[in-house]
């Protein structure tokens, strides 16, 4: 566990990579939390594929769980108010996707390999609440998580935690095993037309956080081949792991999209804040 914690801890100052001058601190936190979760979700796919982790249920659900549990490893023992707010930020991203009004709203495909946005929101809200039910009862109120689900959330969190510990025990590289393969970071040029992309690249690069997480991945697990973590202009706000080429792609557009969505947070949370003030 310790090595995995170290692997993820080093990524925490990624917050500094978000252009701050135009954002409220809550928005910076939202963007950072969701950038971290996106990377960790894709790292989940990478580990499932490269280490051939056993998966029951949909891989997308497993990657969400691995990504979310990765946030706990990333922030180590710092389970303070700011960390809990980040957990809610990650769940709320899916609530925003689910509830936001937009002319180009994508069609819902029930056959999709991903859960519906509303389900991902409740699944992550449940894991957040279940991680510390005594401290996080307010998550139930803020998310509208029904009692029928909330009752089982501590158990859901414990199952996910058990699985992560199991992976650590079974797949960690032993200290006497040489590091034969590496995860390496490759920055591609940011899109010229995208405001903030060049600044984002500059700060991510200067922080060295992606290199740190890649190096830790290479030393924590015995990777079966060389892999790449690519920061690229994709033409869409996306991220993915290509299991054939062994390339994890994180799009500039994805991170900048979180910045756009962050502006809708006050509207999303206002009713709950008013509720709590009147009681
Ligand atoms: Zn995925």
């Amino acid at each position: 566990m310790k090595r995995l914690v170290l692997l993820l801890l080093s990524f925490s100052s990624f917050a500094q990579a978000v252009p701050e001058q135009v954002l409220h601190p809550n928005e910076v936190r939202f963007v950072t939390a969701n950038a971290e979760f996106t990377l960790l979700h894709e790292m989940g796919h990478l580990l499932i594929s490269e280490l051939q982790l056993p998966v029951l249920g949909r891989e997308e659900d497993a990657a969400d769980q691995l990504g979310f549990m990765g946030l706990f490893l990333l922030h180590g023992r710092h389970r303070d108010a700011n960390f809990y707010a980040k957990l809610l930020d990650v769940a709320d991203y899916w609530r925003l996707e689910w509830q936001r009004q937009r002319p180009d709203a994508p069609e819902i495909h029930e056959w999709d390999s991903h859960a519906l946005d509303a389900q991902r929101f409740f699944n992550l809200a449940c894991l957040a609440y279940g991680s510390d039910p005594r401290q996080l009862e307010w998550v139930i109120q803020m998310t509208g998580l029904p009692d029928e689900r909330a009752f089982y959330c501590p158990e859901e969190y414990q199952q996910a935690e058990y699985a992560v510990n199991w992976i650590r025990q079974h797949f960690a590289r032993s200290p006497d095993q040489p590091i034969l393969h590496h995860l390496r970071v490759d920055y591609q040029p940011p899109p010229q037309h995208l405001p903030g992309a060049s600044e984002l690249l500059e700060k991510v690069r200067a922080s060295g956080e992606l290199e740190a997480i890649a190096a830790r991945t290479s030393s924590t697990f015995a990777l079966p081949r060389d892999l790449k973590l690519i920061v690229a202009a994709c033409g869409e706000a996306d991220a993915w792991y290509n299991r054939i080429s062994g390339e994890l792609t994180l799009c500039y557009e994805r991170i900048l999209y979180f910045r756009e969505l962050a502006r809708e947070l006050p509207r999303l949370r206002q009713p709950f804040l008013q509720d709590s003030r009147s009681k």
Side-chain angles (χ1 to χ4, degrees), residues 1-270:
M1 176 64 80
K2 201 172 175 189
R3 278 191 298 172
L4 202 53
V5 168
L6 283 174
L7 153 71
L8 293 164
L9 198 61
S10 58
F11 196 55
S12 59
S13 61
F14 186 56
Q16 304 310 315
V18 178
E20 287 182 58
Q21 67 276 23
V22 292
L23 297 178
H24 184 274
N26 284 353
E27 294 174 335
V28 174
R29 194 195 58 223
F30 178 87
V31 174
T32 305
N34 281 289
E36 288 170 359
F37 176 71
T38 299
L39 177 62
L40 294 170
H41 171 102
E42 298 308 331
M43 287 289 291
H45 285 303
L46 180 150
L47 294 175
I48 287 169
S49 176
E50 298 303 321
L51 303 178
Q52 298 183 1
L53 301 181
V55 175
L56 295 173
R58 288 185 297 198
E59 179 173 332
E60 289 300 339
D61 293 338
D64 268 357
Q65 291 213 348
L66 284 167
F68 202 72
M69 296 309 291
L71 292 170
F72 289 85
L73 300 172
L74 173 62
H75 294 280
R77 293 181 183 179
H78 301 288
R79 299 191 184 186
D80 52 13
N82 186 60
F83 174 68
Y84 289 137
K86 288 178 89 167
L87 296 183
L88 186 64
D89 284 340
V90 171
D92 265 349
Y93 164 76
W94 296 103
R95 179 158 52 162
L96 283 168
E97 287 288 20
W98 165 34
Q99 295 183 349
R100 73 193 297 233
Q101 307 288 326
R102 51 182 170 175
D104 62 334
E107 204 180 327
I108 291 174
H109 297 300
E110 288 82 357
W111 43 259
D112 200 279
S113 57
H114 299 80
L116 303 178
D117 293 344
Q119 293 175 306
R120 294 178 86 172
F121 160 61
F122 282 118
N123 287 342
L124 296 176
C126 180
L127 279 181
Y129 165 66
S131 71
D132 195 347
R134 273 183 294 188
Q135 300 266 359
L136 298 179
E137 213 174 327
W138 58 270
V139 168
I140 294 179
Q141 188 201 3
M142 287 290 280
T143 59
L145 191 66
D147 289 344
E148 293 92 325
R149 178 72 182 271
F151 183 77
Y152 296 102
C153 292
E155 206 174 303
E156 284 190 38
Y157 175 81
Q158 283 159 25
Q159 278 186 339
E161 190 181 42
Y162 174 77
V164 168
N165 287 337
W166 188 91
I167 291 166
R168 173 186 60 83
Q169 284 162 12
H170 288 78
F171 291 93
R173 184 182 65 85
S174 62
D176 56 346
Q177 232 177 328
I179 301 174
L180 296 176
H181 298 288
H182 295 267
L183 173 63
R184 291 195 173 86
V185 183
D186 175 17
Y187 298 98
Q188 295 185 357
Q192 296 298 326
H193 61 279
L194 219 56
S198 299
E199 189 188 358
L200 182 65
L201 168 64
E202 208 175 289
K203 292 194 172 183
V204 170
R205 207 168 198 160
S207 75
E209 304 301 348
L210 294 187
E211 288 78 2
I213 201 170
R216 292 289 182 180
T217 303
S218 311
S219 63
T220 301
F221 301 105
L223 298 174
R225 59 177 171 157
D226 288 331
L227 303 168
K228 266 190 188 174
L229 196 175
I230 303 171
V231 183
C234 311
E236 54 188 342
D238 212 346
W240 62 85
Y241 181 63
N242 183 328
R243 65 189 61 217
I244 296 169
S245 64
E247 294 172 337
L248 190 163
T249 302
L250 185 57
C251 306
Y252 292 104
E253 292 93 334
R254 179 80 180 165
I255 302 171
L256 293 168
Y257 176 59
F258 291 139
R259 196 172 61 171
E260 188 188 316
L261 270 192
R263 299 210 164 89
E264 297 189 29
L265 270 183
R267 181 189 55 75
L268 183 76
R269 291 177 178 171
Q270 200 57 28

